[in-house]
Amino acid sequence: MASTEKKTLYTADATAVGGRSGHVRSATGTIDMEMSVPEGLGGKKGATNPEELFAAGYSSCFQQALLVIAQRAGDKLDSGTEVKCSVSLFQEGEAYGLSAILDVDLKSFDEQKTVEMVREAHKICPYSVGTRGNMEVELRVKGKAIPVKAEDNAGVASEK
């Protein structure tokens, strides 16, 4: 495999003040919101939290990876395609961590084709690549967990 040079396509900037009970604002001003501990953990209503923002980003990014996979295969995704991402915050000893579940409904493809496309998207999605080996990510199709090969959940997307 030929060596490829890393090329930065985009950089996003955001600033947080006050941690989980503060405020976050992106450099563009598109994100400008109050932060809080999740309401279920005693936080205030009407504010977001890092897990919610992560879930929104991951689901959007994963859906884009599915669009790329479909396009490469000459397919087109149904406009009603959904990717739900659930991000869980957990505590293990003194440390905290995250886990995610990606649940995909492609609407117009059978289960086998959907499973193949989800696995391929997991290989190229920047969130999947960035979390690989660092956090548990479960893949599902219409609520049903699909097996993930160990090599698809470790290391980075490109071969070394």
Side-chain angles (χ1 to χ4, degrees):
M1 178 180 248
S3 173
T4 57
E5 189 177 317
K6 183 170 82 171
K7 178 174 74 173
T8 300
L9 300 176
Y10 172 73
T11 300
D13 293 306
T15 302
V17 177
R20 286 185 172 269
S21 298
H23 193 90
V24 66
R25 185 176 196 286
S26 64
T28 62
T30 303
I31 297 172
D32 189 356
M33 48 194 10
E34 293 299 312
M35 300 293 288
S36 176
V37 172
E39 190 178 354
L41 296 176
K44 61 184 174 185
K45 191 174 184 159
T48 192
N49 59 70
E51 294 75 29
E52 192 172 62
L53 293 171
F54 192 91
Y58 202 165
S59 62
S60 175
C61 194
F62 199 84
Q63 187 161 37
Q64 186 63 38
L66 286 164
L67 287 163
V68 168
I69 295 300
Q71 183 180 34
R72 286 180 182 172
D75 292 324
K76 185 171 170 50
L77 293 185
D78 184 286
S79 63
T81 293
E82 294 180 351
V83 176
K84 178 183 178 188
C85 181
S86 301
V87 173
S88 296
L89 171 68
F90 63 86
Q91 184 173 4
E92 193 169 19
E94 294 296 314
Y96 296 89
L98 300 173
S99 64
I101 298 170
L102 289 164
D103 195 354
V104 178
D105 184 353
L106 294 184
K107 309 287 185 198
S108 60
F109 295 106
D110 65 27
E111 185 178 343
Q112 181 181 347
K113 171 94 172 175
T114 299
V115 166
E116 289 171 15
M117 291 175 74
V118 167
R119 284 188 176 138
E120 289 301 307
H122 189 52
K123 291 178 185 176
I124 68 165
C125 170
Y127 273 69
S128 292
V129 171
T131 60
R132 190 164 291 129
N134 296 309
M135 78 183 253
E136 183 181 319
V137 177
E138 181 180 319
L139 303 177
R140 294 183 182 175
V141 171
K142 295 183 181 178
K144 179 181 169 188
I146 62 172
V148 178
K149 297 174 191 158
E151 62 267 23
D152 292 341
N153 246 344
V156 295
S158 61
E159 295 175 14
K160 293 197 175 191

